[in-house]
């Protein structure tokens, strides 16, 4: 079958190769991938992994081999899944506790936006406790994680400040306030989901109410954060980290929640770039150079 491999000397650091079919473990199903999305973390991995390494985490498609242990969806089911790697391929084996079945109303392209960005948004918001009536700020709000975080926080009853652009699109997701810089935000935040880091992290901490939480999910800026005691917004403000690959949680239920919200019209994946996977190298360059206009890039395999 055809698959994407890391190829350091090629455009986008990727190439296509013929590889062996996946051999599933007893608790794994094989998915024929119809759509996948790309994440900023994969750009970093393509820089450091050896040639031949196979990237790809966010996949949606059809089950072609059900798990031998009887778990998970049957052959023919339409699904979304979070793979560890090797998902940018015609077929991939994934543990069934990372696979959710798609409602008819949810397309493969929409579903492919969810695994890394959607799970990160959902789970980082949960780290802030109950959101109903509380002020939540999302930085990097126009990006893949940010847009999901804004809309999920609004759905949970928070008053959301989005730091990012475009303002009209973020307001359409329910943000009560959209600002270009954290400096424009009043203090009193219960929770910040910070996808940017560096000076933005420092400014976020300053604007937390006592007992508030900053969940650091990203580092789109490589600048370090400087923090002194008096930078904190009060007593008991905490900074915590989120790593999607290290939560230890099973993904099927949360992916099921996210696709259910899409089917109900409560979550709207923003696909800013849709192309055939033959255009993957160009797409990765657009992501690398911040030319995707926010939202998610989705590639399809026909
Ligand atoms: N912890 C985890 O498990 C996890 C999971 C997913 C993602 N992440 C990380 O989270 C971050 C966001 O991911 P994403 O998928 O949402 O990326 P993305 O779609 O590229 O979005 C990044 C957003 O940040 C903005 N931005 C870029 N550079 C900035 C800067 N210097 N200052 C302020 N804003 C800036 C971008 O605006 P422009 O449109 O102007 O570029 C965009 O809105 C990345 O660092 C990613 O690696 C972590």
């Amino acid at each position: 079958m055809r698959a994407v491999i890391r190829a350091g000397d090629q455009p986008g650091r990727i190439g296509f190769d013929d590889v062996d079919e996946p051999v599933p473990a007893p608790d794994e199903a094989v998915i024929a991938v119809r759509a996948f999305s790309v994440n900023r973390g994969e750009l970093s991995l393509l820089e450091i992994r050896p040639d031949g390494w196979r990237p790809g985490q966010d996949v949606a498609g059809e089950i072609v081999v059900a798990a031998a242990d009887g778990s998970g969806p049957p052959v023919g089911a339409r699904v979304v899944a979070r793979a560890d790697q090797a998902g940018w391929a015609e077929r991939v084996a994934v543990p069934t506790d990372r696979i959710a079945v798609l409602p008819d109303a949810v397309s493969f392209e929409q579903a492919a936006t969810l695994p890394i960005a959607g799970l990160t948004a959902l789970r980082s918001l949960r780290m802030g406790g109950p959101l109903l009536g509380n002020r939540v700020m999302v930085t990097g709000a126009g990006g893949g994680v940010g847009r999901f975080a804004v809309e999920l926080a609004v759905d949970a009853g928070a008053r959301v400040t989005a730091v990012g652009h475009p303002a009209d699109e973020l307001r359409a997701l329910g943000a009560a306030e959209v600002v270009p810089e954290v400096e424009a935000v009043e203090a009193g935040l219960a929770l910040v989901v910070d996808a940017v880091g560096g000076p933005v992290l420092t400014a976020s901490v300053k604007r937390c109410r006592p007992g508030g939480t900053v969940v650091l999910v990203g580092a789109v800026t490589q600048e370090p954060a400087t923090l002194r005691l008096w930078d904190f917004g009060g007593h008991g403000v905490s900074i915590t980290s989120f790593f999607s690959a290290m939560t230890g949680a099973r993904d099927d239920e949360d992916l099921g929640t996210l696709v259910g919200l899409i089917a109900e019209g409560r979550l709207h994946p923003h696909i800013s770039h849709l192309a055939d996977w033959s255009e993957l190298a160009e797409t990765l360059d657009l992501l690398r150079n911040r030319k995707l206009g926010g939202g998610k890039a989705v590639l399809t395999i026909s």
Side-chain angles (χ1 to χ4, degrees), residues 188-251:
L189 301 164
L191 173 67
V192 180
V193 175
D194 179 19
V196 178
V200 170
L201 172 63
T202 307
S204 299
V205 165
K206 277 186 184 171
R207 284 160 180 78
C208 279
R209 72 183 190 193
T213 303
V214 179
V215 184
L216 182 60
V217 303
V220 288
T221 173
Q222 296 304 311
E223 290 177 68
T226 56
L227 275 169
R228 297 153 298 183
L229 178 61
W230 48 91
D231 288 325
F232 286 78
H235 174 75
V237 173
S238 57
I239 304 171
T240 188
S241 56
F242 179 89
F243 289 101
S244 52
M246 299 181 194
T247 63
R250 52 187 297 157
D251 298 325

Side-chain angles (χ1 to χ4, degrees), residues 14-29:
I14 57 113
F16 289 82
D17 207 353
D18 290 321
V19 302
D20 292 340
E21 289 287 336
V23 179
D27 66 340
E28 290 181 337

Side-chain angles (χ1 to χ4, degrees), residues 64-105:
V64 287
V65 180
D69 68 1
S71 65
V75 169
R78 300 170 67 253
V79 298
V80 60
R82 183 177 74 86
D84 267 340
Q85 55 187 13
W88 299 350
E90 288 179 316
R91 285 169 287 285
V92 61
V94 184
T96 53
D97 65 2
R98 296 181 181 191
I99 300 174
V101 173
L102 298 184
D104 291 343

